[in-house]
Amino acid sequence: MNYIKQLNEFWRIQTLEPISSNAKLLYLALLNINNMGNWEKEFKVNNDFLVLLSGLTISSFQRARNELEQKGYIEYKKGKKNQSIPKYTIIKLYEDVVFKNDPNLNTE
């Protein structure tokens, strides 16, 4: 995933369909964590850490996470009893555009 393209598309969408400030904070925190982890499709992060990083209360965090999931920004899988760390997936917001005459495109 391209961090800059993802951020640019996120902010473009915000001009059309804004989300809450808390959801924005949480989304940016999740993007940053996933970026540091080299963009794994699915990544684990402790909810307590996300609360700390975002500065949200537990209830605000949960509402923000639900909003992001409902609006199609993330996928969230609750941790199981033996595995309490939940999994997150950042949904790609932009499309990769490939031009036919791109000299950097290797079609072989």
Side-chain angles (χ1 to χ4, degrees):
M1 187 173 298
N2 183 304
Y3 192 45
I4 298 300
K5 286 183 180 181
Q6 186 75 4
L7 275 174
N8 285 340
E9 187 61 14
F10 172 76
W11 289 116
R12 187 193 70 75
I13 292 169
Q14 293 312 295
T15 63
L16 304 171
E17 299 175 40
I19 58 176
S20 70
S21 296
N22 289 345
K24 287 175 190 170
L25 278 172
L26 180 56
Y27 185 74
L28 294 174
L30 287 166
L31 272 182
N32 187 52
I33 290 166
N34 201 6
N35 184 50
M36 290 187 301
N38 292 319
W39 297 107
E40 294 180 30
K41 178 165 175 50
E42 189 174 70
F43 61 101
K44 296 179 184 179
V45 60
N46 187 297
N47 288 335
D48 292 336
F49 181 69
L50 285 171
V51 167
L52 178 68
L53 189 61
S54 65
L56 300 172
T57 64
I58 295 288
S59 59
S60 294
F61 162 75
Q62 290 170 338
R63 283 191 303 274
R65 183 183 61 207
N66 289 340
E67 182 179 356
L68 290 173
E69 192 172 26
Q70 289 172 0
K71 300 276 183 164
Y73 288 95
I74 65 168
E75 289 179 5
Y76 164 74
K77 293 181 185 172
K78 186 176 180 179
K80 298 180 178 145
K81 287 184 181 181
N82 299 359
Q83 176 187 353
S84 62
I85 300 176
K87 295 178 183 177
Y88 291 88
T89 301
I90 302 286
I91 305 301
K92 189 174 172 184
L93 301 176
Y94 64 93
E95 291 186 33
D96 291 314
V97 177
V98 178
F99 297 100
K100 276 181 145 177
N101 296 327
D102 186 345
N104 298 316
L105 180 62
N106 184 358
T107 57
E108 296 177 15

